[in-house]
Amino acid sequence: MKVYEGANLRNVVLVGHGHAGKTSLVSAMLYTAGATQRLGHVDDGSAVTDYDEEEIARKMSISSGLAHAEWGKSKINFIDTPGFNMFVHEARMVLPAVESALVVVDGVSGVEVVTERVWAYCEEVKMPRVIVVSRMDRDRADADRVLESLNRAFGRAVTPLQLPIGSEKNLSGVIDLVKMKAYTYELGGNGKGKEAEIPAALADKAKEAHEKLVELIAEGDDALMEEFFDKGTIPEEHLIPALHNAIREDKIFPVLFTSGLGNVGADKLLDFLVDYVPAPTEREFAEGGPGSNGEPPKRKIADAEPMSMFVFKTMSDAFAGRISYFKVFSGVVKNDATVQNFTRGNTEKLAHISIMQGKTAVPLTELRAGDIGAVAKLKETLTGDTLGDKASQIQYPAVKLPEPAITFAIEPKTRADEDKLGVGVHKLMEEDAMLRFFRDPQTKEFLIAGTGQQHIEVTVSKMRKRYHTEVNLKAPKVPYRETIRGRADVQGRHKKQTGGHGQYGDCKIKMEPLPRGGEFEFVNDIFGGAIPKNFIPAVEKGIKDAAARGYLAGYPVVDFKVVLYDGSYHDVDSNDLSFQMAGRIAFKKAMEQAKPTLLEPVMGVEITVPDEFAGSIMGDLNSRRGRIQGMDNKGGNTVVKAEVPMAEMLTYGVDLTSMTQGRGSFNMEMHHYDIVPAQQQEKIIAKAKEARGEQPEEEE
Ligand SMILES: Nc1nc2c(ncn2[C@@H]2O[C@H](COP(=O)(O)OP(=O)(O)OP(=O)(O)O)[C@@H](O)[C@H]2O)c(=O)[nH]1
Ligand SMILES: [Mg+2]
């Protein structure tokens, strides 16, 4: 594989609603560019970027996939991302690696819920966007209707750069509105368009669209505006660079048309990427996190700079081990180099750098600034880490993601499965940023958390196939917490006299509530050595341990402050353990006085449904103790924002599907903790007592 300079690279992410045709479009471009011998299909498992066995079985992308094509003098790196809402965070995570996004929209459905989501992700980081309307060969595909929905959702900066010729089964090509030329294709052919005259029936429409495009490009550029008024048009050699800049600066979001499956327009799309989307070196610099003097360090995207690279994705291959996907922000990455991991402080050896074509690693000798590569078997490096030349430290900011929305209890089927569980899950967590795994300190259950039911199901399936571990999922648990609403002032004394050495510890504490999110604060207010200094941490530990085990229903106690203000000790009998016990006793007594109460997680929920379902969705949210925060109308859809206790949302995915016949979607993030209403509290506490009945608390 040739080494490419930054100026000849294009890094492009494909984002969009599930099933819009992203993976098929990448296949079409790869085949058209000669990177594959045949056109890969999602439906028979031969698409380059859907290679994982879960993806093949489910015929959808689950994880981001990388591919590349050489086209003219350039190399285009593609990142194909999932569009299904439970996996769409994958798209957000790879944005630091690219300079433009292809927002793929279905030619029948137009803008859908996830289209708006990924658009917002791009907006957040000012990512240049190109819209590709794909699947134009399907029945009921309609370019005008889709353009309307795009303008409604994203404004007038969305403007066609092509028009399709024919539609549905008769889709036969595209008109380039800059060059004013037509290209025709055979559906299912080799993807190479033949230049042709613009069909007479479309001539007026094309002319009108061309003029609109030229006007939009000239807008905001005085020299071009003048030229436009003088000559009535702008020559191609001025138009192309101006459009390139307008795209880079988010002033124009051009629209192109394709069929991935029918391989129509893929060559023009490749041309377009080379001509119009920014090369990595067009970015002024890459910015690191805040430096020691407050000023964030910067790197020019150039080979001459010190080397720095950012790991934006990790894959865990059962055979090759850990594979890290990285973006070279500055300098040149050489095969076999030894580099520093600035995030973790260790050194790593880059043995066998490569670029990915789906699951296949293509070896390379070096990668220049702006390129994307992969390397296997790094020891400690994980997603979000920055590596580079030891002498020139920089750390690029990792992408922030919301907390998982759903938690399940996971139960190994056999003893052997239990032994393998942790290892397998931890490997999966390396490649999946939204997966969490922990053990409930109360119930000793293993818990697994993710973005939704399907996410967890995919994880369980991977556990079985990759790591031969069988598990059962049980009802999701709500991570309740406990806190106090009042104050307490108590004494905790532990004294035991059993032959030989005794035990003695004694403390007096005050307890008071902290605001939500205050966690735990311990203040040592002992004067005059009532408790010797070296035992004070033991008191704190005793309180913390007891708080972690809960008071009302076994949930961790949070948001409270303890002031240790007095106590006593015994020269011989006092030791660490005795003061820990004293702390625990004091904690329990204090909880009795301090009006303990349960807290529940409340989710921020955003629900999008077609307008006709708005009423019933609101009613349903009320019955779930939801608080409506706002309502918005967006092109036939109603978006409802609400805060709803997590306990009421555990099966919302299923419920929403049945309420809206599958036409609604939602997005949910942990928002805050709130006091549980008295009625619910009683039920939760009773249930916890019942559970404890089977599993008696350890004796003290
Ligand atoms: N008729 C037609 N079908 C297409 C076209 N492109 C894709 N499809 C089909 O549409 C379905 C979805 O295509 P994908 O390429 O997997 O879509 P995707 O956007 O990658 O979907 P996710 O990965 O789930 O987000 C598959 O059954 C494809 O065969 C097209 O241009 N025309
Ligand atoms: Mg896909």
Side-chain angles (χ1 to χ4, degrees):
M1 168 57 67
K2 228 174 96 182
V3 173
Y4 283 82
E5 305 246 341
N8 293 328
L9 292 170
R10 302 290 180 272
N11 300 310
V12 182
V13 66
L14 287 95
V15 295
H17 197 83
H19 256 59
K22 299 175 289 296
T23 303
S24 305
L25 187 58
V26 171
S27 285
M29 287 190 279
L30 294 177
Y31 173 60
T32 302
T36 56
Q37 293 311 307
R38 62 188 205 92
L39 181 59
H41 292 290
V42 171
D43 298 320
D44 65 10
S46 64
V48 174
T49 47
D50 272 5
Y51 55 82
D52 181 83
E53 54 188 342
E54 292 304 320
E55 296 183 316
I56 292 173
R58 289 163 206 258
K59 296 188 173 45
M60 64 193 276
S61 308
I62 290 175
S63 163
S64 297
L66 270 69
H68 60 274
E70 300 179 273
W71 190 249
K73 280 191 298 193
S74 302
K75 180 177 77 173
I76 308 172
N77 290 315
F78 297 107
I79 307 183
D80 176 27
T81 67
F84 188 65
N85 68 346
M86 277 170 204
F87 305 114
V88 71
H89 58 272
E90 285 272 319
R92 196 173 188 174
M93 293 201 58
V94 302
L95 293 183
V98 301
E99 288 78 36
S100 62
L102 291 187
V103 181
V104 182
V105 172
D106 175 31
V108 178
S109 311
V111 174
E112 295 173 83
V113 175
V114 174
T115 323
E116 307 225 25
R117 276 270 289 285
V118 294
W119 190 270
Y121 293 164
C122 291
E123 191 84 50
E124 238 170 47
V125 294
K126 301 269 166 285
M127 179 69 66
R129 276 145 274 176
V130 174
I131 297 156
V132 181
V133 183
S134 198
R135 307 215 292 177
M136 282 304 295
D137 59 311
R138 288 176 73 212
D139 287 349
R140 294 185 299 116
D142 183 337
D144 291 333
R145 203 183 53 223
V146 172
L147 281 172
E148 256 176 54
S149 86
L150 284 163
N151 283 132
R152 218 172 23 227
F154 308 129
R156 62 182 286 273
V158 173
T159 194
L161 203 94
Q162 293 180 337
L163 292 180
I165 305 173
S167 76
E168 306 184 335
K169 276 184 267 324
N170 299 318
L171 177 74
S172 64
V174 292
I175 298 169
D176 180 330
L177 294 173
V178 176
K179 299 196 164 118
M180 287 306 271
K181 281 183 185 142
Y183 301 88
T184 60
Y185 301 79
E186 266 169 58
L187 259 186
N190 64 2
K192 302 261 155 65
K194 280 203 205 87
E195 198 176 310
E197 287 298 308
I198 294 177
L202 286 173
D204 286 347
K205 197 173 173 185
K207 188 159 173 281
E208 196 184 314
H210 171 77
E211 279 161 8
K212 194 183 145 216
L213 175 67
V214 173
E215 222 178 300
L216 200 62
I217 297 172
E219 225 172 69
D221 184 325
D222 293 344
L224 280 182
M225 224 30 184
E226 223 163 276
E227 192 171 16
F228 182 58
F229 284 130
D230 274 4
K231 301 181 188 158
T233 183
I234 300 173
E236 209 181 295
E237 68 267 25
H238 291 171
L239 213 49
I240 292 175
L243 180 53
H244 180 105
N245 293 342
I247 291 171
R248 187 185 56 217
E249 285 155 18
D250 285 355
K251 289 185 182 141
I252 290 183
F253 304 113
V255 185
L256 287 82
F257 294 88
T258 61
S259 163
L261 201 61
N263 202 9
V264 171
D267 59 341
K268 290 295 131 198
L269 179 54
L270 288 161
D271 283 347
F272 172 87
L273 292 175
V274 170
D275 289 343
Y276 292 108
V277 306
T281 43
E282 284 178 61
R283 260 177 79 183
E284 227 183 321
F285 47 73
E287 197 168 299
S292 47
N293 56 359
E295 191 58 17
K298 292 169 182 174
R299 283 292 161 76
K300 259 184 86 171
I301 321 279
D303 294 347
E305 291 272 294
M307 197 279 276
S308 68
M309 56 192 249
F310 177 74
V311 176
F312 63 88
K313 183 174 175 63
T314 306
M315 291 296 284
S316 162
D317 187 280
F319 304 104
R322 189 188 286 164
I323 306 173
S324 308
Y325 294 3
F326 60 86
K327 158 89 168 205
V328 187
F329 274 126
S330 60
V332 178
V333 176
K334 298 217 191 273
N335 197 26
D336 276 342
T338 299
V339 298
Q340 182 81 1
N341 180 326
F342 299 131
T343 313
R344 288 172 208 283
N346 67 315
T347 50
E348 297 274 15
K349 188 162 157 82
L350 307 178
H352 309 302
I353 58 167
S354 56
I355 50 170
M356 303 305 291
Q357 193 67 293
K359 65 179 166 197
T360 312
V362 182
L364 274 174
T365 54
E366 62 177 47
L367 283 160
R368 300 286 178 84
D371 214 340
I372 288 174
V375 61
K377 298 206 162 66
L378 296 186
K379 285 177 302 198
E380 287 177 37
T381 300
L382 293 175
T383 305
D385 290 3
T386 304
L387 285 69
D389 283 348
K390 198 171 181 176
S392 302
Q393 175 140 359
I394 189 164
Q395 243 174 283
Y396 299 109
V399 177
K400 285 206 176 61
L401 292 175
E403 278 303 299
I406 197 167
T407 306
F408 282 89
I410 185 170
E411 197 180 62
K413 282 194 182 159
T414 66
R415 191 55 223 265
D417 291 321
E418 183 170 342
D419 292 341
K420 288 184 285 186
L421 179 68
V423 180
V425 176
H426 279 104
K427 285 199 175 142
L428 291 176
M429 274 164 49
E430 284 184 8
E431 62 176 39
D432 187 341
M434 288 298 288
L435 197 62
R436 301 278 185 283
F437 178 67
F438 41 96
R439 196 162 193 176
D440 189 312
Q442 264 70 47
T443 62
K444 309 277 188 262
E445 265 181 327
F446 293 109
L447 299 179
I448 192 161
T451 57
Q453 183 149 346
Q454 277 95 330
H455 180 208
I456 299 299
E457 281 169 10
V458 165
T459 304
V460 166
S461 177
K462 283 185 184 168
M463 291 293 297
R464 185 172 57 241
K465 290 183 195 155
R466 272 200 215 166
Y467 302 111
H468 311 290
T469 308
E470 298 280 345
V471 296
N472 290 320
L473 288 179
K474 290 196 304 191
K477 288 244 157 148
V478 178
Y480 293 106
R481 290 180 179 170
E482 300 177 11
T483 192
I484 52 169
R485 279 189 288 186
R487 294 162 175 268
D489 185 342
V490 297
Q491 177 177 25
R493 205 159 75 108
H494 173 69
K495 187 177 173 183
K496 243 181 197 169
Q497 211 66 58
T498 41
H501 248 298
Q503 296 176 18
Y504 186 87
D506 172 27
C507 64
K508 286 187 179 168
I509 63 167
K510 287 181 187 152
M511 198 191 234
E512 62 182 85
L514 287 178
R516 277 303 83 72
E519 298 288 334
F520 170 62
E521 209 181 304
F522 181 80
V523 178
N524 171 20
D525 224 356
I526 297 269
F527 286 104
I531 300 175
K533 258 203 189 98
N534 54 323
F535 291 136
I536 287 170
V539 177
E540 183 177 355
K541 182 169 189 301
I543 293 170
K544 265 181 150 165
D545 287 351
R549 301 170 64 182
Y551 175 78
L552 285 175
Y555 298 103
V557 183
V558 296
D559 303 345
F560 69 105
K561 174 174 165 181
V562 168
V563 180
L564 171 64
Y565 69 93
D566 202 0
S568 64
Y569 69 103
H570 187 279
D571 278 335
V572 181
D573 291 347
S574 280
N575 56 19
D576 238 50
L577 217 66
S578 308
F579 272 101
Q580 280 186 38
M581 284 304 297
R584 276 158 93 151
I585 295 164
F587 171 82
K588 283 199 176 159
K589 279 192 177 170
M591 287 301 285
E592 267 168 47
Q593 281 182 15
K595 301 201 186 115
T597 183
L598 283 178
L599 292 173
E600 65 179 340
V602 177
M603 313 301 285
V605 192
E606 197 180 289
I607 305 154
T608 307
V609 292
D611 289 340
E612 67 254 43
F613 296 109
S616 57
I617 289 299
M618 308 275 271
D620 175 71
L621 284 174
N622 269 329
S623 72
R624 293 177 197 260
R625 300 193 280 133
R627 238 180 286 159
I628 311 288
Q629 306 289 316
M631 237 175 99
D632 214 355
N633 281 79
K634 267 188 193 166
N637 280 330
T638 302
V639 182
V640 182
K641 287 194 177 136
E643 288 173 5
V644 197
M646 183 197 245
E648 309 285 342
M649 294 298 281
L650 296 176
T651 57
Y652 198 66
V654 185
D655 303 345
L656 185 66
T657 305
S658 70
M659 280 187 289
T660 61
Q661 290 121 45
R663 292 167 60 206
S665 76
F666 76 110
N667 184 6
M668 177 157 94
E669 288 174 10
M670 177 57 217
H671 197 269
H672 65 277
Y673 270 84
D674 212 349
I675 288 174
V676 180
Q679 231 183 353
Q680 264 90 6
Q681 292 221 14
E682 279 165 30
K683 279 189 216 154
I684 297 165
I685 294 170
K687 224 172 154 183
K689 283 211 176 111
E690 203 183 295
R692 250 197 312 235
E694 300 156 12
Q695 236 179 356
E697 223 184 359
E698 98 184 42
E699 287 293 314
E700 269 168 10

